[in-house]
Amino acid sequence: MDHFNYQQGHLHAEEVALSRIAAAAGTPVYIYSAATLRRHFGLFQQALDWTDHMICYAVKANSNLAILRLMADMGAGMDVVSGGEYARAKAAGVPGERIVFSGVGKTVAEMRQALEGGIRQFNVESEPELRALSQLADSMGAEAPIAIRVNPDVDAKTHEKIATGKSENKFGIPIARAREVYAEAAKLPGIRVTGIDMHIGSQLTDLDPYAQAYAKMADLTRALRADGHEITRLDMGGGLGIPYRRDNSAPPLPIEYGQVIRDAVGDLGCEIEIEPGRNIVGNAGVLLASVIYVKQGEGRDFLILDAAMNDLLRPAMYGAHHDIVPVNEPAVGVDVLPYDVVGPVCETGDTFQKGTQLPAMLAGDLVAFRSAGAYGAVMASEYNTRPLVPEVLVDGDQFAVIRARPSIEEILSRDTIPEWF
Ligand SMILES: *Cc1c(COP(=O)(O)O)cnc(C)c1O
């Protein structure tokens, strides 16, 4: 459920008409609903209320400081994957003790940044990383709390570009070698083992892969405890999917996901961490765009928007579907026409959707891409020197620009022509 609905014939975010935001901030623009964010975060809290837990929001899904602050104010921790994201979490007011650092390629500089600024745990993904962290922490007279990310070799049954839990993926340490690597970690200076981490992929619409992975995690917990390790924390990763099509059967709910966790590891007495990103912020955002032209092609009509693949990459990158809806509510029984919805970028890949059924559209009409809150703005670029798409947050009847659209002058000012030219 989200808070984007038609009221008096116009699509609203909570109490604000999207056309009002278009007039104030221009298009294209991302628009987020605070009430939806709070609702989704609350559902995960409920799902884990049977145990000690921390919800570490996956910053990479949407890293705007206003979004991070809103999450932090509800008690969220953060899962970061770069020094930049770590800095964002700190800037949003999240203390280091609530930040988990994931990622296969943490540099020594990034690890130092986190050790100096405070860190809840590093999710270590390889032996070379483990040794580098040990050396660094030891040289700083610090102790790095770690979980080791274990790759359970489970098929997450999702898009291949976002599946991370199969043995051929670059992530984590093969589960067959986990005990050996924990044994090494326990001996290394500057390292304190706290738990186990898994993250098997994104946009999972089936709970089975989770159940398989978490059963392996439970077995590993027992085995590591038998080996003498103190395992007090289990990081279950993120990845719970969202309904991108409103006409489809919905993916499992957070409460059902929480039950899968409880069934698998509930008896181990560990603190539970989860790292949801998409499920919290995905359906809390839309991308609002204007029609520039309606162009008659050979056997089809093109709806040419002012939003393009550089603003919302998911369709071009993953073949992803986003429902595209008119901002003016179609009258009941109105005729619809098929449109190929495209952007202005000079690539055929800049096609959002083909044959989208919409009422007759005119230049200047507004459309909204639904479910665009996650992996939308964060993946945007300035390809074709199109200014980075701005972001707006709605809360009740108020709204604020939380990232302004840069001017062309600002964009050009970042380049330098060498003096010796
Ligand atoms: C991307 C990622 C997440 C979040 O995934 P979602 O599908 O957005 O929930 C969580 N943990 C790690 C380690 C990730 O890389």
Side-chain angles (χ1 to χ4, degrees):
M1 198 200 97
D2 59 51
H3 291 76
F4 296 94
N5 294 302
Y6 289 108
Q7 296 174 31
Q8 292 97 44
H10 299 284
L11 192 58
H12 281 59
E14 304 187 28
E15 301 310 316
V16 181
L18 297 193
S19 53
R20 253 183 80 204
I21 297 175
T27 57
V29 58
Y30 278 99
I31 299 167
Y32 309 123
S33 153
T36 311
L37 289 165
R38 292 194 191 99
R39 182 184 136 75
H40 291 170
F41 184 81
L43 291 177
F44 280 105
Q45 274 179 320
Q46 257 177 40
L48 293 179
D49 69 0
W50 50 273
T51 187
D52 217 11
H53 66 269
M54 186 176 293
I55 300 166
C56 294
Y57 168 68
V59 171
K60 75 174 194 278
N62 186 320
S63 58
N64 189 289
L65 290 184
I67 303 292
L68 301 189
R69 171 65 63 84
L70 189 143
M71 298 285 172
D73 284 351
M74 287 185 295
M78 301 281 151
D79 173 55
V80 304
V81 294
S82 71
E85 284 192 357
Y86 180 89
R88 280 187 177 275
K90 291 300 284 281
V94 181
E97 306 76 67
R98 303 182 72 82
I99 302 176
V100 168
F101 204 141
S102 300
V104 293
K106 305 176 195 77
T107 64
V108 169
E110 287 174 321
M111 296 192 288
R112 181 187 300 278
Q113 178 188 359
L115 282 172
E116 284 174 355
I119 188 77
R120 176 175 174 81
Q121 118 218 348
F122 292 92
N123 287 337
V124 172
E125 301 222 16
S126 68
E127 288 147 293
E129 180 195 338
L130 179 64
R131 290 169 201 146
L133 180 59
S134 163
Q135 211 169 40
L136 173 69
D138 193 41
S139 75
M140 293 170 66
E143 192 172 59
I146 68 148
I148 291 177
R149 178 163 174 183
V150 174
N151 185 325
D153 194 22
V154 162
D155 183 357
K157 295 188 216 155
T158 182
H159 191 284
E160 60 168 60
K161 286 188 186 169
I162 49 175
T164 59
K166 282 292 282 176
S167 56
E168 67 258 33
N169 302 135
K170 68 180 177 180
F171 300 97
I173 281 172
I175 193 156
R177 296 200 30 245
R179 287 172 75 178
E180 181 192 324
V181 179
Y182 272 90
E184 178 178 358
K187 286 192 216 122
L188 286 173
I191 295 289
R192 179 166 49 88
V193 172
T194 66
I196 307 173
D197 170 48
M198 275 185 190
H199 171 70
I200 60 173
S202 195
Q203 186 54 18
L204 272 72
T205 53
D206 185 344
L207 292 174
D208 256 8
Y210 281 123
Q212 289 170 40
Y214 297 163
K216 293 187 180 192
M217 191 187 243
D219 289 345
L220 182 61
T221 304
R222 293 188 191 94
L224 291 176
R225 283 177 171 170
D227 290 347
H229 302 284
E230 221 176 301
I231 303 296
T232 58
R233 230 181 238 172
L234 297 177
D235 184 335
M236 321 303 287
L240 190 62
I242 62 170
Y244 276 102
R245 293 173 195 266
R246 259 144 206 82
D247 55 358
N248 242 7
S249 69
L253 302 170
I255 194 82
E256 298 167 313
Y257 172 61
Q259 190 59 43
V260 167
I261 296 175
R262 187 175 192 168
D263 290 345
V265 301
D267 61 341
L268 295 171
C270 287
E271 181 179 7
I272 300 297
E273 292 169 350
I274 57 170
E275 303 169 343
R278 189 191 307 272
N279 202 289
I280 291 180
V281 79
N283 281 327
V286 300
L287 172 63
L288 186 64
S290 304
V291 176
I292 305 179
Y293 298 115
V294 182
K295 169 174 164 172
Q296 271 186 337
E298 197 75 61
R300 66 192 65 223
D301 285 347
F302 293 102
L303 201 61
I304 303 175
L305 304 181
D306 62 358
M309 62 187 287
N310 69 295
D311 303 306
L312 178 64
L313 187 57
R314 297 188 67 260
M317 176 121 148
Y318 310 116
H321 170 92
H322 289 265
D323 283 349
I324 300 171
V325 298
V327 166
N328 286 327
E329 187 173 19
V332 181
V334 77
D335 285 344
V336 291
L337 307 164
Y339 290 101
D340 284 10
V341 183
V342 302
V345 160
C346 305
E347 301 220 15
T348 301
D350 188 22
T351 298
F352 289 116
Q353 232 173 65
K354 291 184 175 172
T356 306
Q357 300 286 327
L358 289 164
M361 301 296 284
L362 297 171
D365 284 350
L366 294 168
V367 297
F369 291 79
R370 307 212 45 162
S371 311
Y375 308 103
V378 284
M379 283 189 172
S381 76
E382 289 180 343
Y383 186 39
N384 281 209
T385 308
R386 295 167 45 81
L388 201 58
V389 58
E391 297 172 278
V392 164
L393 180 66
V394 173
D395 193 356
D397 60 1
Q398 50 184 345
F399 69 93
V401 175
I402 57 173
R403 175 184 283 160
R405 191 190 315 275
S407 68
I408 298 292
E409 293 69 42
E410 281 174 72
I411 295 172
L412 300 192
S413 72
R414 289 187 224 127
D415 294 7
T416 307
I417 297 172
E419 273 170 34
W420 40 267
F421 262 36

